[in-house]
Amino acid sequence: MAPSAQVTPSTVSPEELFNVVRGAASQDPGRVQASTTRLKELLEIPGAYDLLQEIAATKSVTLQVRQQAIIQFKNAATGHWRSRKLFPPEHKQRIRDRCLTFLDEPDDIIAECNALIVAKIARQDYPVSWPGLIPHLVGVISTSVEGHLSGNAPQAALLLRRSLELLNAVLKEYAAYKMLTGVKTMGQIAELVRMPLQTHYARLASFLPSLTPAALSQVSTVENLLLAHLTFKCLFRLTFWAYHRYTCCNDFHDYEPWVNEVFQNSTVQFQAISELRINVVSALGSPPTDPVAQRALDLFTRHVRIFGKLFRRMQRSSTARFVALPMCGDLVLYYWSKVVQATTGPPEQIADSSQVTFPVRFLVQGMALFRDSLAQWAPTKKDGSPNDRVLSKEFVEDAVKILVTRFIPLNPSDLEGWMEDPEEWVNAEEKENDQWEYELRPCAERVLMTLATQYPQYVRPLIELTFNQIVGQKSMELPAIIQKEALYCAVGRCAIRLKESIPFEQWLDSTLIAEAQVTDHNYAIVKRRIAWLLGKLVSDECLAANNPKLWQILVHLLQDQGPGSDAVVRLTAAIAIRECVDSLKFDADVFAPFLPTVVTSLVQLTADADTLESKRRITDSLNTVIERAESRIVPLMGMIAGPIPQLWTAAAEDWLFKGCLLGTVTKLVEAAKEHANSLSTLIVPLLRDCFNSPAQMHLDQDAFILWQGALRNTTTIDGVNGAPGLIDLVPLLIQQLSSNLEVLGTIVHIVESYFLLDAPRILQLYVLDIFRAFHVAINEAVHTNVKQMTTALCLLFQIAPSGLWGEALHVSGLFATFVKGLEEDKLPTPVLTEYVYVLARIALADKQLFLQLVSATAAAQNVKEERIWEPIMNQWWNRFDNMSEPRARKLTAMGVANLVSTGRPEVLDRLSTEICNLWLDVFGEIKEAQDNSGTGAPLTLYWDKPFEDVYTDTEGTLEHERRKAAFENDPVRTTPLTGFIAARMHEAELVCGGGTELQTRYLAKADPLLLKQIGDALNGTLP
């Protein structure tokens, strides 16, 4: 008797669920794992989520159990909310109602989870199934504001905080909506809450002007700051949503006056509280040590910063509309005044901390707003007319001086990071393009660049003057070195604007080459900047990479291990070399004398680097050098390839670095071409490892690129001196062909490369497996890939003897698949047309083989041969009009001519109609070519595209010539069609017993005019 299947209970035991949740919250790992598994099972039963939330809402339950319950509910419930099985309507209603009972929840974790739950449910249920949500929150907020300000309701502050957190979560969810229904709902919510929130914020923030340093230590101050901050967060979301809608989405224009009002009020409020905060912190003298005061100051700082966050988002959304907002210019200039003020005090008042006078993020906000608003004060407007509102020369010069002397120089923390972890420091510097809006020094550099763009008439002379004053100084004092480094940075950032003012070539010859040799240990700061500067000047086309002294400096900095240099200098030089080598005006002949040293140093630097990210950067440089050096790299191949196996093993699962290493080998084979045959010893094991799990998921794309590059740039598929060769990878390729449909096109190109290299050898070893893989892939591939596969097969049938592939074509089932596709006539027309091309190519290669394939297919299917011939011949004619390329039409004509010559009645029965009409169409195209050529040549293929226009992917590789040979030796291109068909017709006459017999049996009912035109064409007299 079979055991009965386990029946899932229809209801959940509240006691069991509680015990399971309690177990999941315990400290016993075994109990946690068992409880978690059981909880997943219980949550598949209707009613479980309702009970789970009830546990979280029951305040008498242990806090850890309540937290575990609501965390599990948050993680699972919202994703299944639409399930009527798990959430019947009455359960949903109870859950929604219970969500609002958490408004007096004292625990932050539970309250935060509940806010996320409410937001996710509201996205689906509001306003249809939960119409009272927003009105209820608005009511609670209003009542709680009154209670809190009056001091008569002890719970008012908690209710107000939780209600605001809930509303903020819902607004965040709906503000992200892109669908029109969600946008409409957000508009309704905005209409309900915008005016009350604006009023509430004004009342809740009214205490701020009277805030004193002593008040920071009061718990009530923390509470008041938090409530005001949460209220403005909600107002911030509404304001930005409305602004974005009418500026970028062209709707909700009626909100524009309200947004203008909020922005203007926010500008005034921001300046007031910003000044207040600066005064309060200055009065404190040093950061507070009292935890309450620290919390209060942190909230105050965050509140000031959220105004800047609103302004910055509005600016990024629409800069043109932002600068037109009321008081925007005053706001931006106020921000800049704070940047200036920050430079007047001690350095310690600027830090990435909420406890100092000028937090870094506050200053960065101000700089970013100033930078992106500078265009409104440009001397000339976009339309070319003069601008009435411009910054004075004195203002611009002062701004540049502040940036170059106070914000761009390296500070003590920068130097400390340099010394502690040089590689990480360089990696962070290289990421500055993505981080400039969050860090002070990169942001200052971007402001300087924008000033140089908008006010070149002021910035250029100032930097030039400063450059002339400092460039010749030889002081080894640290402050002078740091200032020189900042100036070099400014020159590099503004190089395009300065190339007419500063003689970069002369500077390189007279100064930089000497400074690169300085051995003072502090001078590494300048030498690192010199390396960066040279890369920048070359990439900006202010210097050409054809100056030997440029390479002399960079090579010295790359390999210098002595005093005055370190890992930062060498790594920066490696990155700069990549930028110089990859420039448009790079001269490989000038670089050639330095190539061995550069390669040796880069290989050594890769081995010495501690972090894989640094290794990736160095390898990227090496790959670029190999690519641009081309064949000059051949003598250095062994040096580059030697360390790769060890680096590969050490990289373990750092797939990015392994991808760089594959890129290195790819660049080597592409540069070395026929000299790279020996690299197969390295390539074969690397590729095999790439297709093991889990490497294939991360490396297959880079691996296929290497595989393709190796095949295209070699002369043999065999290994050298008995070592593994590319031939040994064919079984792996066959496996990929039949299973990896995602990159099937790439795989087919690799298969073609093998065919072009040594098709006979490949077929002798693997023909049946290859055709079986093609069989599987063709039946599962998309139409584009089917065309690629049929093209590969046509190439094979053209270049390889039929004796090597004919039998396997039948045994694999591939020929039968083509016939079946033509017979069923259900495939897309382009696919059916491709099938006809394949059959035509087989017929052209070996007509007797074609007959054998038809016969074998009929025998295998236990049908008469006529059943096989009929769909073939039907589609041969039906698809002819779908063939747009003359070359393909001629192939079809030649293929069917070969079949005519066999004397098969199934073919000859169509001779007088379909076949003759098909031939006549192609004759017209060939005749047109002859008429237009005027050369009298027997075959002029003006319609056939030149090889260089057909195959561009292989240019510069050895495969290009192999493909060209196959292209130019194709019988379709080399054989005159008229002579070919005439010969095939003569063979058909012989098979039929003479011309009279052929005429009587197959041409008697033909249209005389058609026969005359065919005869004229074959005799060369077609008019």
Side-chain angles (χ1 to χ4, degrees):
M1 181 176 177
S4 59
Q6 183 176 354
V7 179
T8 302
S10 58
T11 59
V12 179
S13 165
E15 183 179 357
E16 181 187 9
L17 183 62
F18 178 81
N19 289 331
V20 167
V21 174
R22 186 169 58 181
S26 74
Q27 301 299 313
D28 181 0
R31 189 179 175 194
V32 169
Q33 184 175 0
S35 298
T36 302
T37 303
R38 179 57 181 155
L39 182 60
K40 289 181 180 179
E41 297 170 354
L42 291 176
L43 291 180
E44 294 296 321
I45 303 172
Y49 286 104
D50 187 22
L51 291 172
L52 189 64
Q53 191 199 31
E54 187 176 358
I55 294 171
T58 306
K59 291 186 172 60
S60 60
V61 174
T62 307
L63 180 60
Q64 287 82 359
V65 175
R66 294 181 63 217
Q67 290 176 342
Q68 183 66 220
I70 201 162
I71 289 171
Q72 294 293 344
F73 186 93
K74 172 184 69 73
N75 291 345
T78 54
H80 298 91
W81 186 251
R82 295 185 186 276
S83 169
R84 295 184 63 85
K85 173 190 171 186
L86 297 178
F87 294 96
E90 63 275 13
H91 289 194
K92 282 189 174 184
Q93 187 59 50
R94 283 203 298 268
I95 289 171
R96 287 191 292 259
D97 293 343
R98 199 179 290 122
C99 282
L100 299 179
T101 66
F102 288 91
L103 292 180
D104 62 349
E105 174 58 53
D107 182 67
D108 288 344
I109 293 176
I110 294 175
E112 181 182 348
C113 289
N114 184 62
L116 293 171
I117 291 165
V118 169
K120 294 296 183 184
I121 294 176
R123 185 180 177 108
Q124 300 181 49
D125 286 8
Y126 180 83
V128 177
S129 302
W130 203 359
L133 172 63
I134 301 301
H136 179 78
L137 290 177
V138 171
V140 174
I141 290 170
S142 299
T143 304
S144 301
V145 168
E146 295 295 337
H148 174 68
L149 293 177
S150 67
N152 297 327
Q155 284 287 93
L158 181 59
L159 284 169
L160 180 55
R161 177 184 175 184
R162 298 308 183 205
S163 301
L164 288 169
E165 288 170 343
L166 240 63
L167 179 60
N168 182 58
V170 173
L171 291 175
K172 183 178 180 181
E173 193 72 30
Y174 265 98
Y177 239 122
K178 298 295 188 291
M179 301 295 289
L180 291 179
T181 52
V183 172
K184 181 180 178 182
T185 302
M186 181 62 182
Q188 295 169 356
I189 296 174
E191 198 60 37
L192 284 171
V193 304
R194 62 188 176 100
M195 298 311 295
L197 283 174
Q198 197 172 351
T199 304
H200 295 330
Y201 177 72
R203 298 182 66 191
L204 291 169
S206 61
F207 80 99
L208 284 171
S210 59
L211 189 65
T212 63
L216 291 178
S217 299
Q218 299 172 8
V219 174
S220 61
T221 301
V222 175
E223 190 174 79
N224 292 335
L225 279 167
L226 178 59
L227 295 176
H229 182 66
L230 289 173
T231 306
F232 191 79
K233 277 185 75 173
C234 296
L235 195 59
F236 157 79
R237 294 200 186 282
L238 286 172
T239 305
F240 177 71
W241 176 83
Y243 174 81
H244 181 73
R245 292 308 305 181
Y246 74 73
T247 57
C248 299
C249 305
N250 203 29
D251 53 16
F252 290 91
H253 292 282
D254 52 332
Y255 279 132
E256 185 170 359
W258 177 75
V259 170
N260 288 343
E261 178 190 348
V262 173
F263 180 83
Q264 186 167 344
N265 292 342
S266 299
T267 299
V268 174
Q269 172 76 348
F270 163 72
Q271 294 183 44
I273 65 174
S274 173
E275 287 300 315
L276 175 64
R277 186 193 169 281
I278 291 171
N279 293 335
V280 167
V281 176
S282 298
L284 287 171
S286 60
T289 56
D290 175 47
V292 175
Q294 289 177 344
R295 171 67 172 155
L297 187 53
D298 180 64
L299 280 170
F300 198 3
T301 305
R302 286 165 55 197
H303 191 52
V304 171
R305 197 165 63 238
I306 198 174
F307 281 87
K309 189 176 180 181
L310 172 62
F311 302 147
R312 188 73 182 116
R313 278 205 184 174
M314 294 174 76
Q315 185 184 51
R316 279 199 301 247
S317 178
S318 175
T319 303
R321 300 293 288 268
F322 177 75
V323 298
L325 289 168
M327 298 184 67
C328 178
D330 295 339
L331 169 71
V332 174
L333 291 176
Y334 170 80
Y335 259 116
W336 183 252
S337 73
K338 298 301 102 180
V339 173
V340 174
Q341 184 181 342
T343 66
T344 61
E348 56 267 20
Q349 72 177 359
I350 301 174
D352 190 11
S353 166
S354 62
Q355 308 294 308
V356 298
T357 309
F358 295 103
V360 165
R361 281 180 278 185
F362 169 77
L363 295 177
V364 168
Q365 279 182 342
M367 285 186 180
L369 282 163
F370 179 70
R371 171 189 179 272
D372 287 353
S373 298
L374 277 172
Q376 69 173 313
W377 296 305
T380 305
K381 296 180 180 179
K382 288 184 178 180
D383 60 6
S385 61
N387 191 354
D388 297 332
R389 302 169 62 235
V390 296
L391 301 177
S392 68
K393 177 182 179 182
E394 181 183 6
F395 182 97
V396 174
E397 289 182 343
D398 287 344
V400 171
K401 289 175 183 176
I402 287 172
L403 293 169
V404 176
T405 60
R406 291 303 302 270
F407 291 111
I408 292 179
L410 298 173
N411 57 43
S413 63
D414 290 322
L415 298 177
E416 185 179 338
W418 178 325
M419 298 303 295
E420 286 181 357
D421 193 342
E423 291 183 20
E424 182 55 36
W425 192 87
V426 173
N427 292 331
E429 287 289 297
E430 289 299 307
K431 294 175 184 175
E432 66 181 22
N433 287 334
D434 302 324
Q435 300 294 322
W436 73 267
E437 282 200 74
Y438 307 99
E439 297 177 10
L440 201 53
R441 184 158 49 86
C443 187
E445 293 174 11
R446 277 19 179 229
V447 176
L448 176 64
M449 293 163 65
T450 306
L451 281 169
T453 300
Q454 300 293 349
Y455 288 91
Q457 71 273 30
Y458 302 150
V459 176
R460 187 166 52 231
L462 179 60
I463 294 182
E464 182 183 1
L465 176 63
T466 310
F467 174 81
N468 291 331
Q469 292 172 345
I470 293 180
V471 69
Q473 296 180 2
K474 303 187 185 309
S475 173
M476 296 298 139
E477 297 297 323
L478 185 60
I481 287 174
I482 288 176
Q483 197 55 60
K484 177 177 280 192
E485 189 272 347
L487 175 65
Y488 285 11
C489 174
V491 171
R493 289 296 181 193
C494 305
I496 295 175
R497 305 290 170 184
L498 296 171
K499 61 182 177 181
E500 302 299 329
S501 305
I502 296 178
F504 291 123
E505 292 277 358
Q506 181 182 335
W507 182 29
L508 176 73
D509 294 343
S510 63
T511 304
L512 296 183
I513 196 166
E515 289 186 338
Q517 310 293 325
V518 175
T519 57
D520 185 88
H521 71 279
N522 285 334
Y523 221 72
I525 296 171
V526 174
K527 292 164 78 171
R528 170 254 167 189
R529 182 58 75 181
I530 289 173
W532 172 89
L533 178 65
L534 293 178
K536 191 77 172 61
L537 292 177
V538 171
S539 62
D540 286 346
E541 298 186 7
C542 297
L543 276 178
N546 56 11
N547 186 334
K549 291 184 179 179
L550 168 79
W551 296 116
Q552 183 180 336
I553 294 173
L554 286 176
V555 170
H556 172 74
L557 295 176
L558 177 67
Q559 64 176 348
D560 185 14
Q561 301 276 347
S565 185
D566 62 11
V568 170
V569 176
R570 291 188 288 274
L571 187 51
T572 306
I575 296 168
I577 284 174
R578 184 194 69 230
E579 293 177 345
C580 294
V581 168
D582 205 24
S583 63
L584 291 173
K585 296 182 180 179
F586 170 73
D587 189 330
D589 291 328
V590 173
F591 179 66
F594 303 95
L595 179 61
T597 307
V598 168
V599 169
T600 304
S601 300
L602 289 175
V603 171
Q604 184 62 48
L605 197 58
T606 305
D608 293 342
D610 294 325
T611 66
L612 289 170
E613 186 171 1
S614 297
K615 292 179 186 289
R616 286 198 296 271
R617 293 189 187 281
I618 302 164
T619 304
D620 284 341
S621 296
L622 178 60
N623 294 352
T624 306
V625 168
I626 294 169
E627 182 179 7
R628 299 307 300 271
E630 298 177 336
S631 59
R632 300 173 186 83
I633 205 68
V634 171
L636 306 170
M637 274 175 31
M639 180 195 308
I640 298 170
I644 288 178
Q646 183 178 353
L647 291 171
W648 181 269
T649 303
E653 294 189 357
D654 187 315
W655 309 118
L656 289 175
F657 182 48
K658 284 191 166 182
C660 288
L661 292 175
L662 292 174
T664 300
V665 183
T666 302
K667 296 301 181 187
L668 268 181
V669 298
E670 289 174 349
K673 294 185 172 55
E674 66 271 16
H675 302 289
N677 292 344
S678 60
L679 290 175
S680 63
T681 308
L682 171 65
I683 293 169
V684 172
L686 284 182
L687 290 178
R688 282 176 171 161
D689 195 35
C690 287
F691 291 96
N692 292 327
S693 180
Q696 181 168 353
M697 184 187 305
H698 305 277
L699 297 176
D700 64 343
Q701 186 173 356
D702 292 315
F704 281 128
I705 292 172
L706 170 58
W707 202 340
Q708 183 77 84
L711 288 165
R712 286 179 172 175
N713 292 282
T714 189
T715 57
T716 177
I717 55 177
D718 291 316
V720 177
N721 299 325
L726 296 173
I727 184 71
D728 299 308
L729 292 173
V730 175
L732 175 61
L733 180 65
I734 293 171
Q735 183 264 327
Q736 291 292 312
L737 176 62
S738 62
S739 61
N740 197 343
L741 298 179
E742 292 183 3
V743 287
L744 188 56
T746 301
I747 295 169
V748 172
H749 287 316
I750 293 175
V751 171
E752 286 186 353
S753 295
Y754 271 107
F755 289 165
L756 288 164
L757 267 166
D758 197 344
R761 177 87 179 283
I762 299 295
L763 293 177
Q764 287 168 357
L765 295 173
Y766 303 109
V767 61
L768 188 56
D769 292 335
I770 289 176
F771 282 173
R772 282 173 173 162
F774 267 109
H775 186 209
V776 171
I778 279 178
N779 284 322
E780 298 180 8
V782 296
H783 305 152
T784 303
N785 292 147
V786 171
K787 175 176 173 58
Q788 292 169 324
M789 285 186 281
T790 55
T791 301
L793 289 170
C794 285
L795 172 67
L796 177 66
F797 298 155
Q798 174 198 330
I799 64 177
S802 59
L804 294 176
W805 48 263
E807 181 180 357
L809 196 57
H810 167 68
V811 174
S812 66
L814 192 53
F815 185 83
T817 292
F818 294 136
V819 173
K820 181 181 179 183
L822 298 177
E823 181 180 13
E824 293 179 348
D825 198 17
K826 295 179 180 179
L827 294 171
T829 297
V831 173
L832 294 174
T833 306
E834 290 295 325
Y835 282 9
V836 173
Y837 294 157
V838 172
L839 298 186
R841 186 61 76 173
I842 296 171
L844 182 60
D846 190 334
K847 57 190 176 184
Q848 293 302 323
L849 171 63
F850 195 99
L851 300 185
Q852 292 171 6
L853 288 169
V854 170
S855 176
T857 303
Q861 297 179 8
N862 197 26
V863 298
K864 294 182 178 180
E865 291 186 26
E866 291 82 352
R867 285 279 304 278
I868 307 299
W869 279 106
E870 184 176 2
I872 293 175
M873 299 311 300
N874 285 343
Q875 295 289 359
W876 210 295
W877 169 248
N878 293 339
R879 296 304 123 222
F880 184 68
D881 285 341
N882 304 123
M883 302 175 187
S884 58
E885 290 290 330
R887 183 182 178 194
R889 292 162 72 87
K890 182 178 177 183
L891 167 64
T892 310
M894 294 177 71
V896 81
N898 251 13
L899 296 180
V900 165
S901 71
T902 64
R904 289 292 306 191
E906 298 87 351
V907 178
L908 293 178
D909 283 341
R910 300 170 186 254
L911 178 61
S912 63
T913 52
E914 298 169 2
I915 295 175
C916 283
N917 277 302
L918 186 154
W919 285 343
L920 199 60
D921 277 355
V922 182
F923 288 154
E925 293 172 5
I926 299 300
K927 178 64 171 65
E928 181 181 352
Q930 291 171 332
D931 287 347
N932 290 340
S933 69
T935 62
L939 187 64
T940 301
L941 306 177
Y942 90 97
W943 44 263
D944 202 23
K945 298 177 183 177
F947 173 75
E948 287 71 18
D949 293 345
V950 178
Y951 297 102
T952 57
D953 293 344
T954 59
E955 286 184 10
T957 69
L958 301 182
E959 185 177 301
H960 196 64
E961 293 303 317
R962 292 193 284 267
R963 280 195 177 275
K964 187 174 183 180
F967 178 84
E968 292 183 345
N969 293 319
D970 185 354
V972 175
R973 299 189 71 259
T974 60
T975 307
L977 183 61
T978 51
F980 182 83
I981 292 180
R984 303 293 85 76
M985 285 292 291
H986 180 66
E987 292 173 7
E989 290 175 356
L990 295 176
V991 173
C992 292
T996 303
E997 186 67 20
L998 178 66
Q999 178 72 28
T1000 302
R1001 291 173 58 185
Y1002 299 110
L1003 297 176
K1005 297 181 180 180
D1007 181 354
L1009 179 59
L1010 176 63
L1011 292 180
K1012 181 179 185 305
Q1013 289 175 321
I1014 291 292
D1016 290 343
L1018 296 181
N1019 295 324
T1021 59
L1022 185 66

